[in-house]
Structures are given as C-alpha cells and as structure tokens.
Amino acid sequence: MIFIGKCPYRISLLGGGSDLDWFVNEEGFGNSIGFSLDKYSYSIISKKEPGSRSGMLNYSSREIYSEVGQIAHSLIRETLKYFDINKPIEMNSYGFSSGGGGLGGSSSFCMSFIAALNQAFNLEISSKEIAHLCSEIEINVLGKPIGRQDQYLASLGGINTLIFKPKGLVQVKKLSENHFQAIKKVAEELILIPSQKTRSADQVLSKFKNSLDAKKSIIDIRNICQNFINTNKSTEELYELLNKSIRESWEIKRRMSNVMDSKLEDQFKIIDEVPNNWIRLIGAGSGGYFLLSPRFGINKSINFLKNKNIQGIKVHINSEGLTSYKI
C-alpha cells in the first residue's frame, strides 16, 4: 500500500512580510490575503517490509538511510524526528516548482510529506494542524527566517485572509461577500511568469530582521492590506482598490534592497510592454516568478509574451487545499 500527500502552492496578494514571527512579536500582528494555486507538491510513501534496515528517499537527490539522524534533507529528517517515526520508509516527491520559486514550494513539500505520514501512520491531524506543525518545524526547529502565510494559504485551499498573532497563532478572518468576489475576480485574471532565476528566500528574509528601513516598509505593506480589509464598498470598488493596493505594496517592496537586480529589471521592462494593472515578483524577491495582471485579456497577453520568448501560465485557484489518500 502507498500513501500520497498532495499540497498546492500558494500566491500571496497583500500583506507579505508581515507574517514573519519576529515582526508579529514586535508589532503585535500581521496579515495576508492570498489563495492556493492549482500546482502541487506530491509525496508518495510506502512502508518498508518488517526487518528492513534501511529506507530510501527520492527527491532532487537520492538518499539511502539506516537512521533518521543520518538524513541529509533537513525537512525530511526533522519531520520524521518531530513525529518520532523511526521505521524505514521509501519516499518519492514531485513538484511543479522547486524551492526558491516564490510559490511557497518548501512549505508545500513539507506539508505533502506530513500529509502522507498522517495517512501511513494514523497521526490523525487536520490540514490546519499540519500547517501549524510545518510552520513549527521550519521556523522553530530549523530556524528558517520565513513566515507562516505559505503553510496556511496552501493547506486551507481557496481564497483566505489570515491574521498573524504572537506565539505562532494564525486566525482565518471571514471577509464580506463583496471582498471575496473582488479578490476572486483579481485572482482569476492573473498570469504567472517564471523569471528563470531562483533564489534562497532564507537569505533574502534574514536581512530584513535587522533593518529599520525593511521594518518600516513591512509596516506600510501591512497597513495597506489592513485598509483593504477594513474598507466597506461595492465589489467593483473593492476590485479597483485591491489592484491599487497590490500596486502600491509592490512599489514599496521593489524599493527594498535584495528584491530586484539588473537581470530582473530587464525582464520586468519586457513584461511591462503588456498593458497591465500591475506586475510584481512573488515571494521574498530576488528571483522566482513574476505575477502579471493584464489589462486586455489573458490569451492575448500570453501570446504577446510568447512572441517575446517569455512563458506565461494562466493562474487557476485550487479549492481543496491539502489532501491525502492511500492506494
């Protein structure tokens, strides 16, 4: 029997950066609006036969291990240690995007792995609990300088607004129907564009913590998100406000150090030839994917980009979130 964990990637629209634990603990709260994407990480697990002395792990590399502590892949090693799983397993993983793409790939992989373990070893934990446990492993066990939006936006599925509180508390905030429809309309009009440049989010984010300018920028980004959450208007007015808010947040983020370089700026200028509401980099910056909100049609814009030798991928929302099953 095999056990499969399937976790979507995520796209954040507003509030990114204010989900970092150090920021939340210092400033009282953070926020994020985003959705899970119909691109996935898969972890496929089978239990080794009784008496087996070694397990096998296939991801971007291949490992054979006899003790959990020997495993080189830190997320796999610390996840197995966290759940005290010492029985050897065989694991294969697949994904749309490797880590460094800005789509929350590392967290997506980690949660797909936990979801598969949940099935295989009857851990009986919910998707929201898996998001919390993945956050704890990545942030508090491995010391990654990341936030908690990746785990929750991916695991919950659909469109979500998150409020981050001290001590790792994450609340899902219910917005009005007008808010929901405005976010949905924006999300359904997006094109994902690979920059052909990967980066380590850890390296980018670790430089923010000790920067007063970065902290001020994150406060401004958080406040823009909070203003959208608190505004009570029609769907069409909120749609226009959301586009304006994303554009303003990006301009703040773009001015932060380590977010853009000359190569990315050159790509940005080409993409900007498409009539658009806004263009931004997803995630911590310095690489990954651009997100484009075209003004005149998805297919027309994708064809325009194709003529410039740039790949454009239509964005679709995933509604299920984290899932697992056995075969």
Side-chain angles (χ1 to χ4, degrees):
M1 183 173 290
I2 61 173
F3 307 89
I4 302 171
K6 175 184 175 184
C7 185
Y9 294 83
R10 66 94 184 102
I11 287 179
S12 172
L13 295 175
L14 281 181
S18 71
D19 61 322
L20 298 164
D21 273 12
W22 66 263
F23 177 85
V24 173
N25 291 333
E26 290 180 14
E27 296 299 320
F29 78 97
N31 50 33
S32 175
I33 295 174
F35 60 92
S36 59
L37 186 63
D38 71 337
K39 307 296 181 186
Y40 308 94
S41 290
Y42 296 88
S43 290
I44 303 169
I45 288 175
S46 62
K47 297 179 181 179
K48 301 287 284 185
E49 294 294 328
S52 296
R53 295 184 178 181
S54 63
M56 184 182 300
L57 308 170
N58 294 292
Y59 45 98
S60 56
S61 298
R62 184 183 185 191
E63 288 193 61
I64 296 174
Y65 72 97
S66 56
E67 295 181 8
V68 170
Q70 298 174 338
I71 296 172
H73 194 297
S74 59
L75 275 174
I76 297 173
R77 181 185 68 245
E78 296 305 327
T79 297
L80 291 174
K81 287 169 66 176
Y82 193 94
F83 292 104
D84 196 27
I85 295 172
N86 295 303
K87 294 180 179 179
I89 61 170
E90 181 171 345
M91 187 276 286
N92 292 273
S93 71
Y94 310 90
F96 167 74
S97 174
S98 61
L103 298 173
S106 294
S107 298
S108 177
F109 161 72
C110 184
M111 287 189 292
S112 74
F113 185 50
I114 296 174
L117 294 174
N118 192 29
Q119 279 279 355
F121 294 95
N122 300 312
L123 302 177
E124 298 183 350
I125 45 182
S126 69
S127 292
K128 190 173 182 181
E129 289 173 320
I130 289 175
H132 174 71
L133 293 172
C134 178
S135 301
E136 291 299 301
I137 291 168
E138 291 193 272
I139 298 169
N140 291 325
V141 176
L142 288 172
K144 290 177 171 285
I146 63 171
R148 296 176 185 261
Q149 69 169 350
D150 293 3
Q151 299 86 351
Y152 284 83
L153 288 177
S155 69
L156 295 175
I159 295 166
N160 282 286
T161 298
L162 306 174
I163 306 298
F164 306 97
K165 297 292 185 67
K167 299 182 179 179
L169 178 63
V170 180
Q171 298 174 344
V172 180
K173 184 175 179 62
K174 184 173 177 59
L175 298 184
S176 70
E177 182 63 20
N178 286 350
H179 280 88
F180 179 82
Q181 291 301 328
I183 298 167
K184 184 171 182 286
K185 186 176 179 181
V186 168
E188 290 176 341
E189 296 176 345
L190 301 177
I191 297 173
L192 200 60
I193 301 167
S195 71
Q196 307 301 332
K197 183 172 186 266
T198 60
R199 84 289 182 270
S200 167
D202 294 3
Q203 291 179 6
V204 177
L205 292 172
S206 63
K207 296 178 181 179
F208 290 172
K209 185 173 182 179
N210 297 316
S211 169
L212 291 177
D213 288 341
K215 182 178 178 180
K216 183 182 183 303
S217 295
I218 295 172
I219 290 172
D220 291 341
I221 289 169
R222 180 193 66 179
N223 291 345
I224 290 171
C225 182
Q226 199 63 29
N227 177 65
F228 176 79
I229 292 170
N230 292 337
T231 299
N232 184 20
K233 291 186 176 181
S234 68
T235 296
E236 194 58 36
E237 288 173 312
L238 287 169
Y239 167 80
E240 295 296 338
L241 176 60
L242 180 55
N243 277 312
K244 178 175 179 287
S245 299
I246 294 171
R247 188 164 54 248
E248 289 177 350
S249 293
W250 164 245
E251 288 305 322
I252 293 169
K253 183 176 177 180
R254 188 177 183 178
R255 292 193 295 267
M256 297 170 72
S257 63
N258 305 308
V259 170
M260 293 283 281
D261 60 22
S262 59
K263 182 178 179 181
L264 292 170
E265 290 287 359
D266 288 343
Q267 293 179 66
F268 188 97
K269 289 175 184 176
I270 297 172
I271 298 168
D272 199 29
E273 293 179 25
V274 178
N276 63 81
N277 296 309
W278 46 266
I279 310 163
R280 52 158 296 200
L281 270 178
I282 302 175
S286 294
Y289 285 82
F290 287 102
L291 195 61
L292 168 67
S293 173
R295 197 180 293 273
F296 299 122
I298 297 291
N299 292 333
K300 184 177 179 180
S301 300
I302 288 176
N303 287 333
F304 177 90
L305 292 168
K306 186 176 180 181
N307 289 332
K308 299 285 186 177
N309 295 316
I310 295 175
Q311 180 187 14
I313 305 165
K314 172 74 172 74
V315 166
H316 296 282
I317 302 170
N318 160 274
S319 57
E320 284 185 316
L322 180 63
T323 57
S324 62
Y325 45 98
K326 56 187 176 183
I327 300 175

